[in-house]
Amino acid sequence: MNSKNHHQKKRFGQHWLVNKKILEKIKEIAVLNQNDFILEIGPGKGALTSKLLDSEIKKLHAIELDKDLINLLNDKFNNNDKFSLQQGDILTVNLDSINKKITKVIANIPYNITGPILDIFIGRLGITRNYNYEKIIFLMQKDVVDRILSKEGSPNAGALSVRMQLLSKIKKICDVPPSSFSPPPKVFSSLVVFEPIKNHLRLDISIEKNIDKLLRISFNSRRKMLRNTLNSILSNEEINELSESSKVCFNLRPQDISIEQWIKLAENCIKIKK
């Protein structure tokens, strides 16, 4: 298939990156080397793929959902020994055979599947990862990145920001305007780098599970004070004991609690419940 004859499919959320400066920026921040095994999600017509392959990487494995693009990509890169391609949905495809080989993940994420992709690649609290990615480079919706990077006291602060910051080091590189894509999306994007925290450096799994539970309950009613949300799992006596031992004021709303305070709450909650 000629690439000019391929039309983007709305159901796949296809907005292809065409800004050459951003394509170069992605390659630059990836800091590619001869040991890299790259997973590229949604290569589209291969604009970024070409740049990544034009480096000293060991391997690039691409996963593309759109069956109509498979022949196009194979025709374009089939003479490159470093390239392999798999047709499938990144949300359901089995990566077990290559997961431990992958060093870096690079993707322009379709906005409609951002949450599940973050769960798969950044991980979830209370669950040990079975991979060891060095970097995850995502081009994703700006407002989601802003929420992920929010600190306590910000109206954007939420369960997502606490979870992501406990699981990974995060750096926003730059914002990317709609004009950088074809067709242009209706919103701005941001280029962001995640460096997942190694399993042995993460919090104890039991603490992570408790933080996740507290976040879920608290942010389900984010306008309420902690005292009025955590009373669903704690008695008044336990709430008073937890507030005193963790030194966290339960008259605060969840978006005003720092990550360090969530950790203290979880640690002391475990002690109280023993």
Side-chain angles (χ1 to χ4, degrees):
M1 175 186 283
N2 188 302
S3 65
K4 292 181 180 178
N5 296 329
H6 183 277
H7 300 287
Q8 282 99 330
K9 300 179 177 68
K10 284 187 178 179
R11 71 181 185 277
F12 292 159
Q14 290 174 333
H15 296 277
W16 292 327
L17 181 63
V18 293
N19 185 318
K20 292 180 180 179
K21 288 185 178 179
I22 300 300
L23 287 166
E24 280 293 342
K25 176 64 73 175
I26 293 172
K27 180 179 178 180
E28 177 190 328
I29 62 176
V31 193
L32 302 171
N33 63 67
Q34 61 188 5
N35 296 316
D36 276 330
F37 187 120
I38 305 297
L39 174 67
E40 185 185 6
I41 304 167
K45 293 188 288 186
L48 179 58
T49 314
S50 294
K51 290 196 174 293
L52 298 174
L53 287 170
D54 186 21
S55 69
E56 56 182 359
I57 61 169
K58 181 192 297 184
K59 183 79 175 175
L60 185 149
H61 184 72
I63 297 178
E64 175 56 57
L65 176 60
D66 189 346
K67 293 179 182 178
D68 292 341
L69 288 169
I70 296 299
N71 288 338
L72 184 156
L73 289 163
N74 275 325
D75 288 345
K76 193 170 184 177
F77 301 116
N78 64 357
N79 290 326
N80 195 316
D81 293 338
K82 295 188 285 190
F83 178 75
S84 61
L85 178 64
Q86 181 178 356
Q87 192 279 323
D89 185 343
I90 193 60
L91 300 184
T92 57
V93 72
N94 190 328
L95 296 175
D96 288 350
S97 62
I98 60 170
N99 224 348
K100 291 185 179 178
K101 299 177 185 176
I102 297 167
T103 57
K104 293 164 186 173
V105 181
I106 301 176
N108 174 18
I109 300 182
Y111 297 154
N112 58 338
I113 58 170
T114 299
I117 282 187
L118 290 174
D119 278 351
I120 291 170
F121 290 98
I122 309 301
R124 301 179 71 175
L125 291 177
I127 299 174
T128 303
R129 289 185 290 245
N130 62 351
Y131 56 78
N132 198 25
Y133 309 146
E134 294 172 24
K135 284 187 180 181
I136 299 169
I137 300 170
F138 282 163
L139 191 52
M140 54 195 289
Q141 196 167 338
K142 178 183 181 298
D143 70 332
V144 177
V145 175
D146 289 344
R147 277 189 290 152
I148 286 173
L149 289 169
S150 293
K151 301 297 183 183
E152 71 275 8
S154 164
N156 283 328
L160 179 65
S161 52
V162 177
R163 289 183 180 118
M164 291 296 102
Q165 290 176 44
L166 280 171
L167 291 167
S168 181
K169 295 179 182 177
I170 310 160
K171 182 180 181 182
K172 183 165 90 165
I173 304 301
C174 62
D175 293 329
V176 182
S179 59
S180 296
F181 301 87
S182 175
K186 294 179 180 178
V187 297
F188 268 70
S189 300
S190 293
L191 181 58
V192 61
V193 179
F194 297 88
E195 294 183 6
I197 295 169
K198 308 283 187 193
N199 283 332
H200 71 279
L201 295 176
R202 282 171 54 177
L203 295 170
D204 184 85
I205 290 298
S206 64
I207 294 173
E208 284 193 358
K209 286 181 177 179
N210 268 272
I211 292 173
D212 198 53
K213 182 179 180 180
L214 293 172
L215 292 173
R216 200 166 52 248
I217 294 168
S218 302
F219 281 101
N220 194 42
S221 303
R222 61 180 297 133
R223 293 183 180 180
K224 292 184 178 181
M225 295 183 291
L226 284 187
R227 184 176 300 280
N228 297 328
T229 53
L230 296 185
N231 61 8
S232 63
I233 58 169
L234 298 168
S235 67
N236 286 334
E237 184 180 337
E238 287 173 329
I239 285 175
N240 291 332
E241 185 181 345
L242 182 56
S243 179
E244 186 176 338
S245 60
S246 63
K247 300 193 174 359
V248 174
C249 175
F250 270 54
N251 291 331
L252 292 172
R253 291 177 173 81
Q255 60 267 33
D256 296 320
I257 306 296
S258 70
I259 290 179
E260 292 73 20
Q261 288 175 313
W262 285 115
I263 295 170
K264 286 288 185 187
L265 284 170
E267 289 173 340
N268 285 281
C269 200
I270 291 171
K271 293 175 184 175
I272 287 171
K273 288 294 185 180
K274 279 185 177 178

